C-alpha cells in the first residue's frame, strides 16, 4: 500500500531553466517493491512531460511541506512540518535518490532573551532607526500584501525558491487567519519602510492530536481546552530585504518573537526550515543559543531510473 504525487511546476522550470519535476505526498509500507513501484510511476509521468530529474519530497512545492526527515525522530512533528518513519530514508536511497540539499530545524528551549541581547538590540534599534510592530488584524489583507512583497524579494536567491502567487498566498492566509496570534507576527521598519517580517505559529499539533481526528461533537472543545498546554511555537518565516541585512533586523525580529511568546505560555521555539548553507540565518540563531535538532533532506534522481532498472 502506498501513494505518491508527481508534480510538474511550470514556474520552477521557467525560473531555473532545468527539467526538474517533483514528487510529494509520499507514503509507503515498509517494502522496497512498493516504494519502487511508486517512484517508477511518478518518474515515468514526469519523463513523459520532458523532465529528466525527479526531486522531492515536496508537497506540492517548497512553499509548502517539503523534505524527508532523516535525523531527529524524538518527539512529535511541529505544526506544518512533515514527519516520516526512519526507514523511509532507506526506501528512497535504495531507489537511487541522492542528496540535493538539507533543510534544518533549530530548537531553543526556555527561549528568554538575555540582558546582553536586549542591550545589543536597543543599540541596533537606535543606530539603524528600526521599529518593530506586531500584526494589525484590522488591516489583515494589507498586511498580507506586505508579507508577499517581503517573501518574494527576501527569499529570491534561496535554493529552490519560487515567488508565491496571489492565489497561493490568499489560500494560505485564509487557512492561517483563524489560528494566527497577532503578537507572533512581527514587522520591522526602517524610516517607515518595510525591512523584514517574522511569523510564528503556536504548535497546534499539541491540541489537534487530542481530537482523535474528530471535529464534532466534542473535538473542537477538546482542541480549545488542550491549547492551554502549548508551550512551543514554530517560527516558519523570518526574512529581511537584502538592502537591510547586516543591520540587526533579523536579530530584532527574533528578539521580539521571544519576548512576546511567554505572555501566551510559549517558552520554546522551533525555527524551521533553514537551508544548510544559509549562514545569514544560521549565525544569528546560534548566537541565540538555538541548536540544530532535526534534518530534512531533499533528494534528486533521474526520471530514467525506473526504466533502467
Amino acid at each position: 500500500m502506498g501513494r505518491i504525487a508527481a508534480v510538474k511546476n511550470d514556474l520552477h522550470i521557467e525560473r531555473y531553466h532545468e527539467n526538474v519535476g517533483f514528487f510529494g505526498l509520499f507514503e509507503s509500507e515498509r517494502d522496497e517493491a512498493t516504494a519502487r513501484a511508486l517512484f517508477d510511476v511518478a518518474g515515468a509521468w514526469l519523463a513523459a512531460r520532458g523532465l529528466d530529474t525527479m526531486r522531492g519530497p515536496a508537497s506540492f512545492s517548497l512553499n509548502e511541506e517539503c523534505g524527508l526527515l532523516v535525523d531527529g525522530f524524538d518527539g512529535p512533528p511541529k505544526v506544518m512540518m512533515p514527519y516520516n518513519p526512519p526507514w523511509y530514508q532507506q526506501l528512497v536511497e535504495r531507489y537511487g535518490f541522492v542528496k540535493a540539499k538539507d533543510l534544518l530545524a533549530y530548537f531553543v528551549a526556555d527561549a528568554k532573551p538575555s540582558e546582553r541581547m536586549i542591550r545589543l538590540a536597543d543599540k541596533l534599534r537606535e543606530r539603524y532607526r528600526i521599529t518593530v510592530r506586531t500584526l494589525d488584524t484590522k488591516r489583515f489583507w494589507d498586511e498580507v500584501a506586505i508579507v508577499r512583497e517581503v517573501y518574494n524579494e527576501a527569499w529570491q536567491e534561496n535554493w529552490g525558491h519560487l515567488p508565491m502567487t496571489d492565489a497561493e498566498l490568499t489560500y494560505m492566509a485564509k487557512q492561517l487567519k483563524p489560528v494566527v496570534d497577532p503578537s507572533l507576527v512581527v514587522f520591522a521598519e526602517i524610516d517607515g519602510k518595510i525591512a523584514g517580517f517574522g511569523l510564528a505559529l503556536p504548535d497546534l499539533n499539541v491540541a489537534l492530536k487530542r481530537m482523535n481526528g474528530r471535529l464534532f461533537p466534542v473535538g473542537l472543545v477538546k482542541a480549545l481546552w488542550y491549547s492551554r498546554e502549548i508551550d512551543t511555537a514554530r517560527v516558519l518565516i523570518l526574512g529581511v530585504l537584502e538592502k537591510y541585512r547586516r543591520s540587526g533586523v533579523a536579530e530584532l525580529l527574533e528578539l521580539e518573537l521571544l519576548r512576546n511568546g511567554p505572555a501566551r505560555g510559549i517558552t520554546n521555539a522551533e525555527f524551521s526550515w533553514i537551508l544548510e548553507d544559509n549562514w545569514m540565518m544560521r549565525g544569528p540563531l546560534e548566537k541565540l543559543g538555538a541548536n540544530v535538532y532535526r534534518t530534512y533532506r531533499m533528494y534528486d534522481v533521474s526520471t530514467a531510473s525506473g526504466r533502467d532498472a
Side-chain angles (χ1 to χ4, degrees):
M1 297 287 289
R3 74 176 187 191
I4 197 168
V7 180
K8 178 176 181 282
N9 192 319
D10 293 327
L11 285 178
H12 181 94
I13 296 168
E14 179 182 338
R15 176 173 172 81
Y16 293 101
H17 307 290
E18 57 182 8
N19 293 324
V20 171
F22 296 85
F23 79 91
L25 303 178
F26 175 72
E27 298 285 353
S28 174
E29 59 188 342
R30 194 170 186 173
D31 178 73
E32 284 187 38
T34 299
R36 175 169 290 277
L38 292 168
F39 292 135
D40 281 351
V41 72
W45 189 91
L46 295 171
R49 286 152 182 81
L51 305 176
D52 55 35
T53 300
M54 178 163 59
R55 178 173 296 163
S59 309
F60 288 94
S61 75
L62 269 66
N63 289 335
E64 300 170 79
E65 287 189 7
C66 57
L68 189 81
L69 182 63
V70 297
D71 183 64
F73 293 91
D74 294 340
K78 297 298 183 285
V79 62
M80 296 175 68
M81 286 297 284
Y83 187 86
N84 54 264
W87 43 266
Y88 268 33
Q89 184 177 3
Q90 183 181 66
L91 295 180
V92 168
E93 293 182 357
R94 287 195 175 178
Y95 185 78
F97 281 95
V98 296
K99 173 186 168 180
K101 187 76 71 173
D102 277 352
L103 319 174
L104 308 177
Y106 276 81
F107 189 83
V108 57
D110 193 23
K112 297 177 182 177
S114 66
E115 289 299 321
R116 178 179 175 276
M117 286 172 55
I118 293 172
R119 288 196 300 271
L120 176 60
D122 289 338
K123 289 180 181 178
L124 292 170
R125 199 187 307 268
E126 183 177 353
R127 179 178 178 184
Y128 294 104
R129 304 179 303 280
I130 303 170
T131 59
V132 180
R133 64 174 180 82
T134 56
L135 176 73
D136 183 350
T137 55
K138 294 179 180 178
R139 300 175 55 252
F140 181 80
W141 290 106
D142 291 333
E143 301 282 59
V144 169
I146 294 173
V147 167
R148 183 173 186 266
E149 174 191 344
V150 177
Y151 182 83
N152 287 346
E153 182 178 335
W155 276 267
Q156 63 181 331
E157 299 302 323
N158 278 12
W159 178 85
H161 169 73
L162 289 177
M164 193 170 286
T165 65
D166 287 336
E168 277 185 292
L169 191 61
T170 299
Y171 175 80
M172 185 175 293
K174 286 180 178 178
Q175 298 299 306
L176 295 180
K177 188 177 181 181
V179 297
V180 74
D181 184 328
S183 70
L184 298 180
V185 185
V186 292
F187 297 83
E189 298 173 347
I190 295 179
D191 295 333
K193 296 181 179 179
I194 190 68
F197 85 98
L199 165 64
L201 281 180
D203 185 19
L204 301 172
N205 287 0
V206 171
L208 294 177
K209 71 180 182 180
R210 300 284 194 168
M211 296 169 63
N212 296 318
R214 296 180 179 178
L215 183 59
F216 300 106
V218 294
L220 186 58
V221 174
K222 284 185 177 181
L224 293 172
W225 176 264
Y226 287 108
S227 65
R228 301 181 304 171
E229 297 180 355
I230 299 174
D231 63 0
T232 301
R234 178 191 165 212
V235 181
L236 62 158
I237 301 177
L238 196 149
V240 179
L241 297 179
E242 185 174 6
K243 62 183 176 181
Y244 297 120
R245 291 171 188 169
R246 303 186 187 281
S247 63
V249 171
E251 289 84 349
L252 285 171
L253 289 170
E254 291 166 358
L255 179 64
E256 190 71 10
L257 290 172
L258 295 182
R259 277 176 160 172
N260 294 349
R264 272 72 183 167
I266 304 294
T267 55
N268 308 312
E270 174 180 296
F271 295 80
S272 61
W273 49 264
I274 298 166
L275 292 168
E276 60 179 327
D277 51 4
N278 185 357
W279 288 102
M280 188 73 71
M281 290 303 302
R282 294 187 63 183
L285 283 175
E286 293 180 5
K287 288 179 182 177
L288 282 175
N291 297 297
V292 176
Y293 86 122
R294 282 180 176 159
T295 301
Y296 300 83
R297 185 160 294 164
M298 293 291 291
Y299 287 92
D300 282 352
V301 74
S302 168
T303 56
S305 295
R307 299 193 301 275
D308 293 343

